């Protein structure tokens, strides 16, 4: 449908604003009439009206069937019991959720298409107009108006929802439930807020007969080594034949099917196909397979539409399918369902650093311009987050109206981890906007806070506003909560605690037990988050016993929060708690028990060397005595790769640190423990590789036996090679926690002790190329600083496509690089291959007018593009590594607050140097 359609209410025999009283002070004034053999929806509509009117006015409305007598002044007709033929608005026919609500002085009709859910939606509309609000699930979740009177206004309206399917999943909580928790507790809340519909899209391609990977490997994709992958080879004629056969079988039994659902199985394993267009998705650093699958879907529809001309195919547009096709022209009946799983989850499109979400918006616009309808299969939670304070409200408020403006239709489906302690305001708004995205947001949010928290509404507004502001203003973050101890710092946590305390005090003084109950749900979620964040801070500070104590308290609080009604924290989030923090906390605590001793805490800052193609080992960078002056410093404890300019990098990184080991540990077993590694690690001490003794796996601790490799009484060199092959949605990599050496029992003096293994080869040294030092023939010139902010851009698209060109972005988490005095290779990027984004946000004081001016770059490796204050500049002269590039600055305004110049230097993985600036940068005016 085109969108929400409302016929203006028509007043019949009543003055405007005339109200009809259904019940008051325990006395019913209306009788409900249902048809004989009422459908489930018709019976449920009657039951819901009776239940809620009793909550409002203390009266039970009589119920009868058609032909029965009504002894009240008002009669409410349900569904097929309506006495008048209902003339629906255009487009009403076939809409399962649409309804007509007609109210006169003595008659109310709740009408819909026969047998449809619309009649139930009409009942909920009537109850909402009577003042009922379904705020959250559970016993304290429903609010009714005061005064013991149920009344509604005279009207006649027909309503069609904006989307045929409006789903907040899961309807049934997944996983093991705490005792007493109903996994379907949210189902009634969702139904009453009119969230329902058919599921479109799926993982996997139905085939007749199904393909067998073991016996039919030729039907599946293969990697470059010949290994069979998980995805079907959709270019294989037999795969196409079987997919068509399965589709035809389904349509023979269900010929009214609008969309066939199919797609890749969950995960990657796509390999490469001749049907691909060579497009790379910069978020995941993976091959876009959109052309491959669009061609496959087109071929299926080409066959099927000969007999079923209106059928289409709905598919999830995950990371490998979210970019539009390059070569293929999609069939108009394709329905992409955008699932931005890799896109930054905590920001919204309007946030300063929400550039990834703005990138997603641009992809949607590109698909829309192909003439396709599209749906949304989004997310309302921070990925892999065990449940620290986080509110989805800002993103919902800003983006859901915009999705409709961009053309979203048919289906809107949001995946959540329903944690009502902090999700409640956002979910309440989400339900309203999924029904009608044209609604004004602010009154709905105010309605929620006023109804939920009554006298404590302002305190709770302050709590959520403070929390949301801290997250919205944060720089781009990794998934999970690795960056959250800095975002939700201790000062902010104390202020949030005070806000909740104020709300609790006000509610207690007012005697509003219902308000206290709702605040308690948020308090339970908050206390879990506070204790977990404190545990992480203690763990990062080597306070392992305290960290374990706080973690155990957090586990208990998580259980308590998951056992509340409604659940303050989604029960299955316990899996994230154990998966990402259990081993870390438990192993660290063990290192201080049972005769174990911590020998040396390894530093927070290590030297790091990026190695895109995993070739640095050929130069023995693991050996003792390696000169790390050409490496760079990296935080291994508090900052993710995302917060260190490496969000879009995947590959190998080498870490090195030096540590003194006291002589007293000469005859002890020694072990190297890394608190968290993403994804896999190998370790060397003094040039000797260590054996793994326990752990390993993505985002887990890992331990190595260093006995006989450590030289006690001396300084030891520790080298770690971390391979991060998959740029997953969590957006991390490398070493991500405290690291240390610990001592166990005594060892024999006869045990072999190895001397340091020195480097036997010398790597090639690269120098900064000779370049012209300044522009010639300048009327005036101003050199920009030598030090720039930089961000790794491996595929050369982070600036031009993801949006790092935007002037307003924060540089928090960007690298500092020198573009003049040393090559990028001597700043930790010797083995890095790819591009680099450079940013400068200050102009020399002498620059106040850029008309007639040029940006002059002495030299650069790779293709160069430049943006100034959000506008891409025109190339005046293209250079290379030793000759200058020039760009026209004419027309670029000089801003009073901040001016951003962003330079993209692209590189390639098979090149001999990374994309980089190789000399000074000037603004000058030609003479």
């Amino acid at each position: 449908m085109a969108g929400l359609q409302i016929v203006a209410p028509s007043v019949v025999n009543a003055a405007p604003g005339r109200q009809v009283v259904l019940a008051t002070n325990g006395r019913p004034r209306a009788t409900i009439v249902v048809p004989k053999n009422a459908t489930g929806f018709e019976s449920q509509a009657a039951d819901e009206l009776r239940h809620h009117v009793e909550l409002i006015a203390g009266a039970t409305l009589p119920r009868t069937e058609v032909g029965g007598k009504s002894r009240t002044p008002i009669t409410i007709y349900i569904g097929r019991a309506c006495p008048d033929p209902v003339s629906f608005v255009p487009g009403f026919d076939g809409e399962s959720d649409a309804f007509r609500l007609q109210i006169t002085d003595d008659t109310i009709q709740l009408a819909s298409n026969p047998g449809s859910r619309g009649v139930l939606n009409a009942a909920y509309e009537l109850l909402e107009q009577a003042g009922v609000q379904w705020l959250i699930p559970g016993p304290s979740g429903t609010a009714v108006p005061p005064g013991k009177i149920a009344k509604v206004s005279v009207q006649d309206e027909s309503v069609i929802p904006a989307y045929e399917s409006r789903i907040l999943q899961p309807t049934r909580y997944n996983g093991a439930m705490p005792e007493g928790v109903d996994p379907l507790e949210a189902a009634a809340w969702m139904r009453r807020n009119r969230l329902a519909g058919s599921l479109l899209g799926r993982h996997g391609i139905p085939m007749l007969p199904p393909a067998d990977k073991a016996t039919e490997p030729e039907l599946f994709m293969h990697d470059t080594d010949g290994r069979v992958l998980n995805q079907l080879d959709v270019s294989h004629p037999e795969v196409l034949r079987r997919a068509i056969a399965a589709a035809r079988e389904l349509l023979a039994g269900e010929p009214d099917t609008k969309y066939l659902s199919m797609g890749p199985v969950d995960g990657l394993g796509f390999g490469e196909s001749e049907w691909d267009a060579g497009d790379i998705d910069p978020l995941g650093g993976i091959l876009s397979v959109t052309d491959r699958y669009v061609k496959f879907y087109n071929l299926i529809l080409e066959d099927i539409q000969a007999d079923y001309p209106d059928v289409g195919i709905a598919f999830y547009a995950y990371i490998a399918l979210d970019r539009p096709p390059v070569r293929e022209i999609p069939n108009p009946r394709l329905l992409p369902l955008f699932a931005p799983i890799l896109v930054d989850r905590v920001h919204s499109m309007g946030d300063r650093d929400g550039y990834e979400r703005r990138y997603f918006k641009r992809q949607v616009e590109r698909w829309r311009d192909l003439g396709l309808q599209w749906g949304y299969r989004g997310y309302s939670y921070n990925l892999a987050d065990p449940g620290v304070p986080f509110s989805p409200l800002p993103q919902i408020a800003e983006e859901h109206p915009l999705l409709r403006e961009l053309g979203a239709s048919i289906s809107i489906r949001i995946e959540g981890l329903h944690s009502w302690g902090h999700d409640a305001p956002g979910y309440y708004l989400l339900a309203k906007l999924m029904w009608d995205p044209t609604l004004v947001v602010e009154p709905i949010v105010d309605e929620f806070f006023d109804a939920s928290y009554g006298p404590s509404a302002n305190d709770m507004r302050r709590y959520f506003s403070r929390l949301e502001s801290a997250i919205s203003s944060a720089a781009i973050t990794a998934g999970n909560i690795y960056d959250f101890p800095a975002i939700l710092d201790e000062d902010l946590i104390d202020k949030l605690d005070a806000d909740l305390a104020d709300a609790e005090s006000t509610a207690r003084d007012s005697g509003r037990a219902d308000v206290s109950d709702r605040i308690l749900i948020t308090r339970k979620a908050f206390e879990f988050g506070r204790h977990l964040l404190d545990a992480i801070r203690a763990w990062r500070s080597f306070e392992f016993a305290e960290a374990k104590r706080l973690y155990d308290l957090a586990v208990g609080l998580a259980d308590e929060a998951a056992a509340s009604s409604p659940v303050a924290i989604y029960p299955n989030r316990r899996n994230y708690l154990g998966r990402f923090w259990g081993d870390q906390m438990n192993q660290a605590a063990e290192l201080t028990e049972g005769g174990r001793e911590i020998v040396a805490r390894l530093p927070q800052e290590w030297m790091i060397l990026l190695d895109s193609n995993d070739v640095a080992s050929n130069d023995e960078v693991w050996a003792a005595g390696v000169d790390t002056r050409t490496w760079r410093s990296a935080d291994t404890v508090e900052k993710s790769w995302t917060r260190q300019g490496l969000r879009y990098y995947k590959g190998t990184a080498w870490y090195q640190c030096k540590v003194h080991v006291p002589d007293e540990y000469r005859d002890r077993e020694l072990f190297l423990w890394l608190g968290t590694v993403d994804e896999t690690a190998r370790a060397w001490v003094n040039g000797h590789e260590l054996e793994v003794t326990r752990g390993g796996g993505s985002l887990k601790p890992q331990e190595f036996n260093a006995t006989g490799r450590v030289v006690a009484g001396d300084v030891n060199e520790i080298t770690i090679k971390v391979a991060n092959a998959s740029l997953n949605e969590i957006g991390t990599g490398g070493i991500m926690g405290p690291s240390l050496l610990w001592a166990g029992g005594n060892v024999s003096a006869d045990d072999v002790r190895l001397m340091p293994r020195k480097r036997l080869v010398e790597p090639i040294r690269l120098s900064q190329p000779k370049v012209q030092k300044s522009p010639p023939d300048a009327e005036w010139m101003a050199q920009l600083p030598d030090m720039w902010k930089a961000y790794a851009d491996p595929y050369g698209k982070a600036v031009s496509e993801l949006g790092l060109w935007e002037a307003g972005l924060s540089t928090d988490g960007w690298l500092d690089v020198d573009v003049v005095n040393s090559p990028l290779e001597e700043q930790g990027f010797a083995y890095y291959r790819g591009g680099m984004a450079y940013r400068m946000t200050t102009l020399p004081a002498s620059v106040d007018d850029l008309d007639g001016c040029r940006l002059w770059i002495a030299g650069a490796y790779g293709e160069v593009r430049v943006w100034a204050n959000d506008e891409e500049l025109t190339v005046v002269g293209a250079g290379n590594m030793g000759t200058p590039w020039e760009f026209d600055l004419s027309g670029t305004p000089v801003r009073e607050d901040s001016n951003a110049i962003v330079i993209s230097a692209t590189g390639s993985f098979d090149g001999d140097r990374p994309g980089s600036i190789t000399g000074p940068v000037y603004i000058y005016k030609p003479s």
Side-chain angles (χ1 to χ4, degrees):
M1 303 308 301
L4 185 80
Q5 300 182 35
I6 301 177
V7 175
S10 58
V11 180
V12 182
N13 298 324
R18 185 71 168 271
Q19 293 192 314
V20 177
V21 177
L22 308 181
T24 182
N25 291 318
R27 295 191 302 275
R29 300 191 72 252
T31 297
I32 297 174
V33 179
V34 298
K36 297 181 186 298
N37 301 316
T39 66
F41 288 130
E42 289 167 335
S43 293
Q44 196 169 27
D47 293 342
E48 290 283 58
L49 287 174
R50 300 181 80 207
H51 170 70
H52 287 90
V53 169
E54 185 172 5
L55 289 179
I56 297 170
T60 302
L61 301 184
R63 170 177 169 167
T64 187
E65 292 184 346
V66 171
K69 292 184 178 180
S70 173
R71 294 184 174 84
T72 58
I74 301 163
T75 304
I76 303 175
Y77 293 99
I78 304 289
R80 290 169 298 129
C82 293
D84 301 329
V86 179
S87 176
F88 295 127
V89 296
F92 196 97
D93 184 47
E95 287 287 347
S96 63
D97 287 304
F99 62 85
R100 186 177 187 182
L101 177 60
Q102 191 177 50
I103 303 175
T104 65
D105 289 332
D106 58 5
T107 302
I108 298 177
Q109 297 188 71
L110 279 62
S112 68
N113 284 301
S116 77
R117 188 171 44 239
V119 67
L120 183 58
N121 292 332
Y124 293 138
E125 173 68 20
L126 182 70
L127 289 168
E128 283 189 330
Q129 292 190 22
V132 179
Q133 294 166 285
W134 298 287
L135 304 168
I136 56 175
S140 64
T142 301
V144 298
K148 292 290 184 181
I149 183 169
K151 56 186 179 180
V152 291
S153 298
V154 170
Q155 62 192 276
D156 185 357
E157 66 174 4
S158 295
V159 179
I160 301 176
Y163 305 100
E164 294 177 23
S165 291
R166 307 161 310 283
I167 297 172
L168 176 60
Q169 67 179 59
T171 304
R172 180 187 183 91
Y173 298 163
N174 298 318
M177 293 296 109
E179 184 177 352
V181 171
D182 179 5
L184 288 170
E185 74 169 5
W189 180 90
M190 294 177 185
R191 183 183 69 245
R192 289 164 177 166
N193 281 288
R194 297 181 247 178
L195 301 179
S198 302
L199 294 174
L200 295 176
R202 60 165 288 173
H203 295 297
I205 299 170
M207 296 174 62
L208 187 66
D212 186 286
K213 189 174 173 181
T215 61
E216 300 175 300
E218 69 277 7
L219 300 184
F220 292 81
M221 296 301 298
H222 294 68
D223 66 13
T224 54
D225 294 324
R227 287 187 292 264
V228 181
L229 303 174
N230 290 329
Q231 304 295 347
L232 286 163
D233 181 357
V234 294
S235 70
H236 196 293
E238 180 63 13
V239 172
L240 176 64
R241 187 192 68 79
R242 294 189 193 184
I244 291 173
R248 283 190 168 277
E249 181 182 64
L250 184 150
L251 290 167
E254 303 175 27
D256 294 331
T257 297
K258 294 181 179 179
Y259 288 98
L260 303 168
S261 292
M262 63 181 68
V265 296
D266 199 11
L268 299 177
F270 289 102
E272 296 183 14
S273 167
E274 292 182 355
W275 287 9
D276 297 328
D279 189 27
I280 297 292
D281 189 294
L283 270 176
I286 59 176
L287 180 70
S288 171
V289 297
T290 304
D291 279 86
R292 184 195 312 183
Y293 279 85
V294 166
K295 184 172 184 175
F296 177 66
Y297 298 148
N298 282 350
L299 290 170
I300 293 174
L301 292 179
E302 181 181 322
D303 181 285
I304 290 172
Q305 287 178 340
D307 299 304
Y308 304 93
D310 296 327
V311 75
I313 292 177
F315 63 94
Y316 296 147
Y318 276 113
I319 185 63
L321 280 155
D322 65 346
R323 292 169 67 83
V326 175
R327 297 189 303 229
E328 298 297 321
I329 299 174
N331 185 296
R333 290 290 293 161
L334 291 186
L335 181 70
L337 305 169
F338 292 104
I341 190 168
L342 287 194
V343 177
D344 172 19
R345 299 275 188 94
V346 305
H347 291 99
S348 64
M349 292 178 187
D351 288 343
R352 177 196 63 188
D353 288 299
Y355 66 88
E356 285 190 358
R357 302 203 67 83
R358 292 188 284 276
Y359 162 78
F360 162 67
K361 173 178 175 285
R362 291 191 290 272
Q363 301 316 302
V364 169
E365 290 169 336
R366 292 173 65 194
W367 277 95
R368 179 199 60 192
D369 292 344
L370 295 174
L372 298 182
Q373 290 186 301
W374 60 276
Y376 186 56
R377 191 247 184 266
Y379 304 87
S380 67
Y381 64 98
N382 181 31
L383 183 78
D385 175 357
V388 301
F390 170 77
S391 168
L393 177 61
Q395 189 183 105
I396 291 167
E398 179 169 348
E399 295 191 1
H400 280 265
L402 181 58
L403 291 173
R404 188 60 180 179
E405 292 177 17
L406 292 170
S409 63
I410 312 296
S411 173
I412 188 155
R413 177 179 169 192
I414 304 300
E415 178 182 313
L417 295 178
H418 312 325
S419 302
W420 296 94
H422 290 104
D423 287 348
Y427 275 15
Y428 185 82
L429 175 64
L430 177 63
K432 306 298 183 187
L433 294 178
M434 290 171 85
W435 182 265
D436 179 3
T438 68
L439 293 172
V440 180
V441 166
E442 289 76 8
I444 300 171
V445 175
D446 286 342
E447 175 183 283
F448 173 85
F449 278 97
D450 291 339
S452 294
Y453 305 119
S456 299
N458 287 337
D459 297 324
M460 294 302 289
R461 282 191 184 95
R462 187 170 63 252
Y463 173 88
F464 276 93
S465 177
R466 197 189 302 275
L467 171 63
E468 292 157 3
S469 177
I471 294 172
S472 295
S473 61
I476 190 79
T477 72
N480 206 298
I481 57 171
Y482 296 107
D483 296 324
F484 268 64
I487 298 171
L488 306 182
D489 60 29
E490 292 173 280
D491 179 63
L492 177 68
I493 289 293
D494 288 343
K495 291 174 179 176
L496 293 173
D497 182 33
D499 292 337
L500 282 179
D502 289 343
E504 290 162 334
S505 176
T506 303
R508 189 167 51 248
D509 293 345
S510 70
R512 289 284 301 274
D514 61 325
V515 170
S516 294
D517 288 345
R518 294 181 195 121
I519 296 171
L520 180 60
I521 300 299
T522 301
R523 169 60 80 178
K524 288 181 177 181
F526 171 80
E527 288 299 328
F528 161 75
R530 173 163 67 175
H531 281 75
L532 179 57
L533 291 172
D534 283 345
I536 294 170
R537 292 187 185 100
W539 176 74
R540 289 175 169 178
S541 300
F542 294 90
E543 299 170 10
F544 294 148
E546 176 65 3
K548 180 65 163 61
R549 184 188 72 82
L550 289 166
Y551 175 77
D552 288 343
L553 286 173
V555 169
L557 290 166
D559 291 339
E560 182 181 342
S564 61
S565 182
V567 295
I569 294 177
Y570 190 67
N572 226 22
R573 279 187 150 166
R574 271 292 305 274
N575 292 344
Y576 291 141
L577 185 59
R579 165 70 179 82
F580 295 110
W581 300 104
D583 287 349
Q584 285 85 336
M585 299 293 174
N586 292 325
Q587 287 186 24
E590 291 171 4
L591 299 180
T592 62
E593 302 169 348
R596 302 178 184 90
E597 292 182 57
I598 294 178
V599 174
R601 299 179 180 182
L602 302 187
Q604 180 170 331
E605 297 281 335
W606 291 47
M607 302 306 290
I608 189 173
L609 181 71
L610 300 186
D611 182 10
S612 300
N613 296 322
D614 193 15
V615 296
S617 57
N618 296 334
D619 288 337
E620 299 182 348
V621 296
W622 40 262
V626 169
D627 184 356
T628 59
R629 287 177 297 175
T630 59
W631 298 31
R632 67 181 305 111
S633 178
D635 189 309
T636 63
V637 177
E638 295 185 353
K639 292 182 179 180
S640 66
W641 272 12
T642 294
R643 299 300 284 270
Q644 299 184 83
L646 301 175
R647 178 169 178 80
Y648 308 111
Y649 175 74
K650 69 175 180 180
T652 299
W654 295 83
Y655 290 85
Q656 195 211 69
C657 74
K658 295 179 173 64
V659 61
H660 181 270
V661 174
D663 189 64
E664 62 193 86
Y665 295 102
R666 181 177 300 275
D667 297 323
R668 299 282 295 276
E669 291 181 309
L670 295 174
F671 298 87
L672 169 66
W673 185 79
L674 307 177
T676 299
V677 173
D678 185 24
E679 299 165 356
T680 60
R682 294 170 63 185
W684 289 258
V685 170
N686 298 324
H688 298 286
E689 187 165 6
L690 308 183
E691 178 186 356
V692 176
T693 54
R694 67 169 170 172
S698 182
L699 297 165
K700 288 284 190 180
Q702 195 160 344
E703 189 174 83
F704 304 83
N705 188 348
T707 306
R709 275 55 175 168
V710 171
V711 179
D714 204 345
V715 173
N716 294 261
E717 297 179 13
I718 299 175
T719 305
I720 309 293
K721 176 186 179 182
V722 180
N724 183 36
S726 174
L727 185 64
N728 60 28
E729 54 263 43
I730 296 177
T732 53
I735 303 173
M736 299 181 57
S739 302
L740 54 84
L741 289 168
W742 67 271
N746 292 326
V747 295
S748 168
D750 297 330
D751 284 355
V752 176
R753 288 178 171 80
L754 300 176
M755 296 302 292
R757 162 77 159 78
K758 296 289 186 178
R759 192 178 205 165
L760 299 180
V761 299
E762 281 299 320
I764 297 173
R765 293 294 184 196
L766 296 172
S767 61
Q768 193 78 317
K770 293 182 179 180
V771 296
Q772 186 176 326
K773 293 302 183 183
S774 62
D777 302 324
E779 180 179 320
W780 65 263
M781 68 179 72
Q783 184 178 353
L784 298 181
D786 295 353
M787 299 300 297
W788 286 61
K789 294 293 185 180
Y791 215 96
D793 183 8
Y795 302 95
K797 294 184 176 183
V799 179
S800 60
E801 295 201 29
L802 289 181
L804 290 183
W805 51 263
E806 294 181 8
L809 300 184
S810 165
T811 55
D812 180 19
W814 288 53
L815 305 167
D816 291 307
V817 299
D818 188 329
V819 302
V820 176
N821 301 301
S822 62
L824 186 64
E825 291 89 334
E826 294 188 359
Q827 299 177 72
F829 290 87
Y831 300 92
Y832 170 75
R833 296 296 177 264
M836 188 66 67
Y838 294 87
R839 174 179 290 266
M840 178 65 62
T841 55
T842 59
L843 296 180
S846 60
V847 177
D848 57 6
D849 183 1
L850 295 174
D851 281 341
C853 294
R854 294 180 180 180
L855 184 80
W856 187 90
I857 304 171
Y861 186 84
E863 288 297 313
V864 176
R865 296 170 69 181
V866 178
W867 285 256
N869 291 342
D870 293 330
E871 297 294 331
E872 185 170 8
L873 303 184
T874 301
V875 179
V876 177
N880 56 39
M881 192 161 58
T883 59
W885 289 75
E886 291 193 53
F887 296 84
D888 186 7
L889 281 164
S890 295
T892 302
V894 177
R895 298 173 178 173
E896 293 184 3
D897 52 349
S898 176
N899 294 274
I901 294 175
V902 181
I903 300 175
S904 169
T906 62
S908 64
F909 287 101
D910 56 1
D912 58 358
R913 301 187 74 147
S916 55
I917 299 174
T918 59
V921 181
Y922 283 81
I923 293 174
Y924 87 104
K925 192 169 188 176
S927 57

